[in-house]
Amino acid sequence: MQPRNSSVENGLRHLLDEWDPIGVADDVQDEYDCMLAPLLQRLRAGVDRTISGRGPRHWLPG
């Protein structure tokens, strides 16, 4: 995996917090951090629209 880029991670973290599918982002600051690495890997690998359109549940390992 490539070295972490804090500005990219922070941007993705912001998007995940805005999306906030379970409604806890205001109370739990790191709730979606477990999604950062898998999402960044897929984005860097060039995930296509078909895969990205299915949503995060399909992006994360089982």
Side-chain angles (χ1 to χ4, degrees), residues 27-47:
D27 300 320
V28 183
Q29 297 298 313
D30 62 353
E31 179 63 26
Y32 305 113
D33 281 3
C34 65
M35 298 174 73
L36 291 175
L39 291 174
L40 287 170
Q41 282 181 314
R42 283 162 177 79
L43 290 170
R44 288 181 179 132
V47 67

Side-chain angles (χ1 to χ4, degrees), residues 16-20 22-32:
L16 290 169
D17 286 344
E18 287 293 314
W19 173 52
D20 194 17
I22 61 173
V24 298
D26 290 337
D27 300 320
V28 183
Q29 297 298 313
D30 62 353
E31 179 63 26
Y32 305 113

